[in-house]
Amino acid sequence: MQLIQIVEALIYAAPEPVTAAEIAKAIRRAADDHLAPEARAWDSIGTGEVETAIAELGEALAASDRAIELQEGATGWRFVTRADFAEWIRALLPEMRPEKLSAAALETLALIAYRQPITKADIEAVRGVSVDGTMQKLLERRLIRTGGRADLPGRPMLYETTEYFMEHFGVKTLDDLPNASELRLVPLPTAEPEPEPSKAEAPAAYEPEVVESPAAELAAAEEPVEETGSEEEVPELDETGLDDPEIFPETAEEREA
């Protein structure tokens, strides 16, 4: 058993692209429990040794003229079929035929790839048309994603490419895009920022109205009572006053009757 064989098996078995560091970690973990004598030399293997084995594996596949090749993507290494056999594979798997991007989608995707992160308004300023439908298709195909919000009025969304985009187009980093250093410096039109509302156009934004409580309004609306002087004296009644004919004309005998 050789190291290059182990590396080949791990890359082949990995459900997703795997990095050299992940391969080295898996080899060290397995070497601790493996009974083979050569495994003792791999219990402290490093990333550099794995990268050397990967390079040897790639050269061996290329020299043998196999239909399989080793490809490094944005997230790691994986086995892929060579492009020469694409038509044969599509004949076997017609349902996996990828949907081709329209010219409008490619233009929008190129702007995002070279100028990311970028707002939808800036894309529309370059293309001169609305890109709502195109952006939605690119999002559904996982070629782009939202990458936060711009520090502009309204906080518009920023868009950037995904790892699937780099795997789809066979690039490891964004610097591997064609003429990346030149196209990133080409001046392009940008969207005009929305003007902020002025003080005169935004009432209650600068001088908020003070609203009194209902109790205060009620107290302010109540009129003061004017004083009219001394109160009219009311005569007090006593028991003798009941016999006064001016107050009660009835006599005591009549009341008793």
Side-chain angles (χ1 to χ4, degrees), residues 5-257:
Q5 295 175 308
I6 298 175
V7 171
E8 181 179 6
L10 293 176
I11 296 176
Y12 179 81
E16 300 291 340
V18 60
T19 64
E22 292 171 336
I23 295 174
K25 183 178 180 180
I27 293 175
R28 290 194 300 267
R29 187 185 303 118
D32 292 338
D33 302 327
H34 207 282
L35 300 178
E38 60 268 20
R40 301 282 71 81
W42 301 327
D43 57 1
S44 60
I45 191 172
T47 304
E49 297 176 76
V50 173
E51 291 176 346
T52 301
I54 292 174
E56 294 176 359
L57 178 60
E59 294 174 1
L61 289 173
S64 63
D65 200 23
R66 300 279 298 277
I68 305 296
E69 64 181 0
L70 196 57
Q71 183 185 80
E72 183 182 16
T75 57
W77 293 92
R78 64 174 180 171
F79 286 116
V80 297
T81 55
R82 286 166 47 190
D84 301 342
F85 301 93
E87 295 297 329
W88 304 94
I89 297 173
R90 292 194 187 102
L92 176 65
L93 305 170
E95 69 278 2
M96 296 183 64
R97 182 184 295 271
E99 180 184 356
K100 292 185 178 180
L101 294 174
S102 63
L106 286 173
E107 290 177 6
T108 302
L109 184 59
L111 285 171
I112 298 174
Y114 285 100
R115 296 304 178 97
Q116 61 184 308
I118 187 173
T119 64
K120 183 171 71 70
D122 285 340
I123 297 173
E124 292 176 340
V126 176
R127 298 201 57 221
V129 295
S130 175
V131 295
D132 289 335
T134 302
M135 296 285 287
Q136 184 60 36
K137 289 182 179 179
L138 294 176
L139 286 168
E140 292 174 355
R141 295 192 61 175
R142 298 184 296 115
L143 293 171
I144 64 172
R145 65 188 174 194
T146 56
R149 294 185 177 273
D151 190 15
L152 296 171
R155 303 284 291 171
M157 297 296 299
L158 292 168
Y159 294 91
E160 60 187 13
T161 55
T162 62
E163 294 174 349
Y164 178 74
F165 161 83
M166 291 187 282
E167 293 179 4
H168 183 78
F169 288 95
V171 294
K172 182 180 178 182
T173 65
L174 295 175
D175 294 333
D176 295 334
L177 293 172
N179 300 326
S181 58
E182 299 177 8
L183 293 178
R184 287 173 181 168
L185 299 178
V186 176
L188 296 176
T190 57
E192 296 183 0
E194 298 181 3
E196 296 185 1
S198 61
K199 184 175 181 180
E201 296 175 353
Y206 299 91
E207 297 179 359
E209 181 182 356
V210 178
V211 179
E212 296 182 351
S213 64
E217 295 180 357
L218 186 61
E222 186 177 1
E223 296 181 359
V225 178
E226 296 182 0
E227 296 183 359
T228 59
S230 61
E231 296 180 356
E232 183 180 356
E233 295 183 358
V234 178
E236 296 182 357
L237 297 179
D238 52 15
E239 294 181 356
T240 58
L242 296 176
D243 296 331
D244 191 343
E246 293 182 0
I247 301 174
F248 293 100
E250 295 179 336
T251 63
E253 292 80 1
E254 291 177 346
R255 289 198 299 273
E256 291 178 358

